[in-house]
Amino acid sequence: MADNPTATTETTGLNEAVKDALDNAPTTHAHLLAWVREMAELTQPDRIHWVDGSEAEWTQLTDELVDAGTFVRLDEEKFPNSFAAFSDPEDVARVEERTFICTRTEKGAGPTNNWEDPEVMRGTLRKKFRGAMRGRTMYVIPFVMGHLEASRPSYGVEITDSAYVVCSMRIMATIGAPVLEKMTEQNGFFVECLHSLGAPLAPGEEDVPWPCNPSKYIVHFPEDRAIWSFGSGYGGNALLGKKCYALRIASAIAHDEGWLAEHMLILKVTNPEGKSRFIAGAFPSACGKTNFAMLEPTIEGWKAEMVGDDIAWIRFGKDGQARVTNPEAGLFGVAPGTGWPTNPNAMRAIARGNTIFTNVALTDDGGVWWEGMTEETPEHLTDWKGRDWTPESGRPAAHPNSRFCTPIKQVDILAPEYDDPEGVPLSAIVFGGRRKTTVPLVSQSFGWEHGVFQGATLSSETTAAAKGAVGVVRRDPMAMLPFIGYNANDYLEHWVEVGERIGEDEMPKVFYVNWFRRTPSGGFAWPGFGENSRVVKWIFDRLEGTAGGREAPIGTVPTREDLDLTGLDVSDEELEAALKVDVEEWRAELPSIDEWFHRLGHVPEPILEQRAGLEDRLNQA
Ligand code: GTP
Ligand code: SPV
Ligand code: MN
């Protein structure tokens, strides 16, 4: 120590403000206090702010973000209490190639995740985080995913140096003083979520509106239930309660405890007789979950309400009944394509205000705009990069992964059951992807294992929700490829085992949809959005045992007569293209399924049997 007198002062010493914040912490939770102190010693913030989640705190932070140039305050009449943020152009989406699952063995992370030894990774990250919060405030956000009144609340604490993250977390989760109080009282376990932008400020150095670091690490330690995220301020990289906790860490917990943490929307459907059912849907990122969850039925007498739009925790009662909750309190929705004609429920929620927009375009009168928001394109905008924009600019005004972050309570079709800590009974699981060919509008699986096979081989064209090429077909098991916090083979095995444990009769029925199939001339074969209620009706009536269907090699599919097409404006060619099961197209699918299974390496036997069964049925067709 004597040789290196600066070691204590510079790397572990804490300034008076920080010491004070630790000594006067609003909690006696010993583990939390010790962890915050240790992280402060590592990251060296100028100040610590214990986030209480209050209105006054929101006002203070949003004012500061406006002053810093991170937020633009929107017109108070159009979007009350709402702000637009613009990220660094290199920090616009989840970074899958920089996302790691650090289990003790490489096998633990499996063939689909990036892996590093946890001790090696902690060493690497300690270097990255050392001094990373210099010149900044360390915010400590106590939060709960799901209900604070749950029998075992799912606590987390995010430490972050981003006020944008604090404001976004306040929308997306239940945060602040009430959570900390209960967590302290129960001495509750919490998931440690450490986040830094990785952009320390030297004394006197001027800040930028969107600090971040080109070197990014989104790291999970599932065995320790801990998350370390470095370098990005955007979405799922930084709002750690969402993908990192409620999917990656929670999926590992769910595997240990016998339940499912899934990338699914939850929809409540009520038929004209007043009977309600709940349906969950797993579609990959930017493939229609939020829109399906907020569907406005176009058929007489049917009602749809929303429970969740992105994440579902499915537990099984003693009676075997699957019950599902949405652990989130907000929507972090894709802006482009969200408009009055396609998703009026989202537009109404946003118009209530209290919303943070990121990477959308600004109108000249203090509003926001994105492609697909209105039928008419404004004549002049400021694009997401802050440049003048006109329809002649020849580039999108909003980033394709631009988002709105809005409290879920502002959704006026929110089902009252959203607030039930026990969750709602789940009748059906719908898988879906973005496929131009092959996959028909809807099919029903022959049973649980066949449904697991459909999910395991779910495929979709990639989107702008993650960095990398867009439009490439990839397999995305249960829409969870980027979010499984352990070995994907074990994950599939877990799905099979849950079905065996609960029994076929009690399990939700499984369907597979595709809203994105094209006609030979290139347009969408199916109009989608509200018209998807026709598919919902078929699914509902299949559950009731009242809808017809024909057995195709891939599952039971509706004929035209089985679907309610009253008043639907589609041509015969379009309908044919949407519904067709083309045996040749499906045969061509087999090698790519085999390639995928080869990559997985240890696909559970029942799923391989389903693969063989599909081939047999295709050969007989
Ligand atoms: P994440 O939030 O990334 O998980 O996305 P998501 O699955 O919630 O997707 P979202 O509902 O936001 O839709 C993504 C894009 O698909 C938007 O541009 C929508 O307009 C478009 N989309 C959604 N549903 C349909 C549909 O039924 N038909 C067509 N053609 N497009 C759709
Ligand atoms: C997704 O990509 O599935 C999202 C957006 O919902 S993010 O929160 O960035 O993961
Ligand atoms: Mn999502």
Side-chain angles (χ1 to χ4, degrees):
M1 287 291 265
D3 294 341
N4 185 2
T6 58
T8 36
T9 50
E10 279 193 18
T11 58
T12 63
L14 298 172
N15 73 27
E16 288 309 314
V18 169
K19 275 192 208 146
D20 204 52
L22 288 168
D23 291 343
N24 297 300
T27 176
T28 54
H29 194 298
H31 179 74
L32 174 60
L33 287 169
W35 178 61
V36 173
R37 177 179 294 273
E38 190 191 334
M39 294 305 110
E41 284 169 354
L42 177 65
T43 61
Q44 296 285 301
D46 276 14
R47 297 163 290 279
I48 294 182
H49 175 138
W50 295 89
V51 173
D52 64 18
S54 65
E55 196 68 42
E57 180 183 69
W58 163 273
T59 305
Q60 180 206 326
L61 293 179
T62 52
D63 283 351
E64 283 173 19
L65 285 162
V66 170
D67 288 343
T70 309
F71 272 180
V72 172
R73 188 185 301 279
L74 299 177
D75 180 80
E76 204 53 40
E77 296 264 295
K78 287 196 196 69
F79 297 103
N81 192 28
S82 297
F83 304 88
F86 303 93
S87 78
D88 182 292
E90 294 302 315
D91 192 22
V92 293
R94 285 183 294 101
V95 283
E96 294 182 4
E97 68 286 3
R98 303 300 306 155
T99 300
F100 297 83
I101 300 295
C102 298
T103 41
R104 255 156 248 144
T105 65
E106 184 166 6
K107 194 162 169 279
T112 58
N113 286 311
N114 299 313
W115 176 83
E116 180 56 89
D117 174 82
E119 275 323 299
V120 172
M121 182 57 95
R122 278 191 200 270
T124 305
L125 288 178
R126 264 188 220 107
K127 284 194 201 110
K128 289 274 166 193
F129 276 93
R130 188 160 296 145
M133 296 192 185
R134 280 214 177 92
R136 298 194 182 278
T137 303
M138 171 191 272
Y139 300 95
V140 183
I141 319 171
F143 67 92
V144 64
M145 299 310 292
H147 223 290
L148 189 54
E149 303 307 323
S151 56
R152 271 192 308 151
S154 301
Y155 295 118
V157 177
E158 179 160 354
I159 287 180
T160 178
D161 52 8
S162 162
Y164 166 92
V165 165
V166 177
C167 293
S168 303
M169 281 292 286
R170 185 174 185 264
I171 296 171
M172 296 305 297
T174 304
I175 71 163
V179 179
L180 185 58
E181 191 181 322
K182 186 147 191 197
M183 197 178 103
T184 303
E185 193 183 289
Q186 297 180 328
N187 193 26
F189 173 83
F190 65 93
V191 171
E192 296 174 6
C193 306
L194 175 65
H195 171 252
S196 174
L197 300 166
L201 288 168
E205 183 182 342
E206 202 171 329
D207 205 358
V208 294
W210 189 278
C212 61
N213 191 306
S215 162
K216 296 180 179 29
Y217 285 85
I218 318 300
V219 181
H220 308 72
F221 301 97
E223 289 138 346
D224 297 336
R225 322 284 198 220
I227 302 157
W228 291 45
S229 166
F230 182 87
S232 167
Y234 202 81
N237 298 333
L239 314 180
L240 301 187
K242 194 172 173 57
K243 297 301 158 76
C244 297
Y245 181 163
L247 288 180
R248 297 196 189 96
I249 298 294
S251 67
I253 297 174
H255 178 252
D256 295 349
E257 297 181 352
W259 52 282
L260 300 166
E262 299 296 330
H263 192 201
M264 291 180 182
L265 68 100
I266 310 162
L267 176 68
K268 177 183 178 186
V269 186
T270 306
N271 73 6
E273 287 72 51
K275 177 163 186 184
S276 297
R277 286 185 176 277
F278 295 89
I279 296 174
F283 311 165
S285 300
C287 291
K289 285 182 302 303
T290 301
N291 279 273
F292 195 49
M294 302 180 102
L295 159 111
E296 201 149 88
T298 51
I299 42 176
E300 269 299 302
W302 288 74
K303 184 173 170 191
E305 290 160 279
M306 168 177 174
V307 177
D309 84 318
D310 199 51
I311 300 182
W313 286 356
I314 308 171
R315 293 186 165 89
F316 299 88
K318 286 204 182 67
D319 56 355
Q321 174 67 59
R323 299 194 75 91
V324 59
T325 55
N326 166 19
E328 299 193 282
L331 313 180
F332 185 64
V334 177
T338 305
W340 289 104
T342 54
N343 193 346
N345 290 312
M347 296 305 287
R348 269 195 293 276
I350 291 166
R352 297 224 162 107
N354 314 309
T355 295
I356 301 170
F357 298 92
T358 307
N359 290 342
V360 300
L362 291 177
T363 62
D364 295 345
D365 57 357
V368 290
W369 194 82
W370 49 76
E371 281 65 26
M373 178 173 162
T374 53
E375 262 153 34
E376 270 193 29
T377 304
E379 275 167 25
H380 181 265
L381 295 165
T382 305
D383 77 5
W384 71 281
K385 286 186 171 175
R387 301 170 299 189
D388 278 320
W389 186 95
T390 66
E392 288 74 48
S393 296
R395 53 171 198 262
H399 186 276
N401 192 38
S402 55
R403 300 260 169 177
F404 56 85
C405 183
T406 299
I408 200 167
K409 293 256 161 90
Q410 293 185 188
V411 174
D412 50 23
I413 53 146
L414 187 65
E417 295 89 344
Y418 160 78
D419 258 338
D420 188 339
E422 298 305 316
V424 296
L426 183 63
S427 296
I429 290 173
V430 181
F431 293 117
R434 200 179 264 274
R435 287 293 304 269
K436 291 191 172 76
T437 66
T438 319
V439 181
L441 183 63
V442 59
S443 62
Q444 179 177 7
S445 73
F446 296 124
W448 180 253
E449 284 180 357
H450 182 230
V452 176
F453 169 76
Q454 287 185 317
T457 55
L458 178 63
S459 58
S460 192
E461 289 137 22
T462 52
T463 66
K467 278 206 99 169
V470 169
V472 183
V473 174
R474 73 170 184 185
R475 299 284 154 187
D476 189 340
M478 286 73 178
M480 281 285 281
L481 182 67
F483 309 119
I484 303 172
Y486 58 103
N487 187 312
N489 293 296
D490 296 343
Y491 170 80
L492 296 178
E493 183 75 49
H494 182 55
W495 268 74
V496 172
E497 279 174 9
V498 168
E500 277 170 9
R501 189 180 89 223
I502 303 300
E504 183 80 43
D505 290 349
E506 303 300 330
M507 287 308 276
K509 304 297 168 267
V510 180
F511 296 80
Y512 190 175
V513 302
N514 179 18
W515 314 142
F516 299 93
R517 206 168 183 191
R518 304 292 180 131
T519 62
S521 52
F524 286 114
W526 179 253
F529 303 103
E531 303 296 4
N532 294 335
S533 56
R534 300 169 192 276
V535 176
V536 170
K537 178 179 174 182
W538 185 74
I539 291 173
F540 194 112
D541 290 344
R542 288 293 296 175
L543 298 170
E544 295 296 309
T546 57
R550 133 187 114 77
E551 269 197 25
I554 59 159
T556 304
V557 296
T559 63
R560 285 170 195 227
E561 292 67 41
D562 298 320
L563 284 176
D564 183 345
L565 302 174
T566 325
L568 180 69
D569 184 21
V570 295
S571 67
D572 279 354
E573 291 71 33
E574 286 168 331
L575 204 53
E576 161 75 14
L579 297 179
K580 171 174 74 173
V581 177
D582 184 319
V583 171
E584 286 319 310
E585 277 184 330
W586 276 96
R587 272 215 192 91
E589 201 71 0
L590 292 172
S592 112
I593 290 174
D594 292 343
E595 207 178 294
W596 164 235
F597 282 0
H598 182 74
R599 188 177 151 210
L600 285 174
H602 296 279
V603 177
E605 199 54 43
I607 299 181
L608 293 175
E609 282 165 18
Q610 290 295 332
R611 147 74 182 81
L614 172 62
E615 183 164 22
D616 287 347
R617 293 190 299 271
L618 288 169
N619 286 339
Q620 283 158 25

